[in-house]
Amino acid sequence: MKILVVNGANLNMLGTREPHIYGTNSLSELESNLLACASEKGVQLDFFQSNSEGEIINKIHGAYGNADAIIINAGAYSHYSYAIRDALSAVAIPAVEVHISNVYKREEFRHNSVIAPVCCGTITGLGMYGYVAALNYLCDNTKI
Ligand code: DQA
């Protein structure tokens, strides 16, 4: 099983960026932790981070025929990128949306995700564990 893990805008700044909201772990620490969980399960991960909407869309398109599932934290794009939503919809690969912070405890503009309707589900507010939960869900529930 191959899972594409997409992190969008500003998530390269994890560890430095608002640590009271996003914690002190860097993106590479998040990726190493997830990789350890994935290798226990015999799952292959492809990590991708970009601040550019178009690059994220191209990466999602490239997952067609190459990945069995997607874990995506699109950052602020989650709240308004119909283009990323359409890309997920176009490839029709089972996807789980993750947010590190609890978006419902924050500003109102974060309460809506335009990509949520094309994902199996959304995990929000569980910190980096949200990615592990998404991995577990996809391994246990995705028929490949
Ligand atoms: C985020 C929440 C978004 O509202 C924000 O724009 C981010 C990170 C999260 O992981 O909590 O960049 O997706």
Side-chain angles (χ1 to χ4, degrees):
M1 184 176 193
K2 283 190 205 155
I3 300 182
L4 170 64
V5 182
V6 178
N7 279 292
N10 297 304
L11 290 160
N12 56 313
M13 295 296 288
L14 282 177
T16 305
R17 174 191 185 198
E18 299 174 280
H20 56 293
I21 297 175
Y22 299 110
T24 52
N25 291 314
S26 65
L27 181 61
S28 61
E29 286 166 340
L30 181 157
E31 291 177 348
S32 314
N33 177 51
L34 201 59
L35 202 55
C37 299
S39 53
E40 275 174 26
K41 292 175 175 295
V43 170
Q44 245 179 280
L45 298 181
D46 177 15
F47 292 111
F48 181 75
Q49 189 280 326
S50 176
N51 295 316
S52 152
E53 189 180 24
E55 284 178 6
I56 294 170
I57 292 164
N58 289 340
K59 188 69 187 181
I60 293 169
H61 290 174
Y64 184 77
N66 292 310
D68 302 299
I70 297 175
I71 296 172
I72 182 163
N73 181 351
Y77 287 132
S78 317
H79 311 302
Y80 65 90
S81 176
Y82 296 111
I84 292 176
R85 173 201 169 114
D86 282 352
L88 288 168
S89 206
V91 297
I93 298 169
V96 173
E97 178 186 26
V98 173
H99 296 288
I100 294 165
S101 64
N102 183 342
V103 289
Y104 299 108
K105 282 188 176 170
R106 302 183 63 198
E107 301 94 327
E108 208 167 328
F109 76 88
R110 298 185 203 275
H111 297 184
N112 186 50
S113 162
V114 299
I115 69 168
V118 297
C119 291
C120 308
T122 298
I123 298 165
T124 184
L126 303 187
M128 296 201 176
Y129 177 74
Y131 292 83
V132 177
L135 174 72
N136 287 336
Y137 169 80
L138 289 166
C139 288
D140 294 346
N141 294 282
T142 306
K143 306 264 178 299
I144 52 164

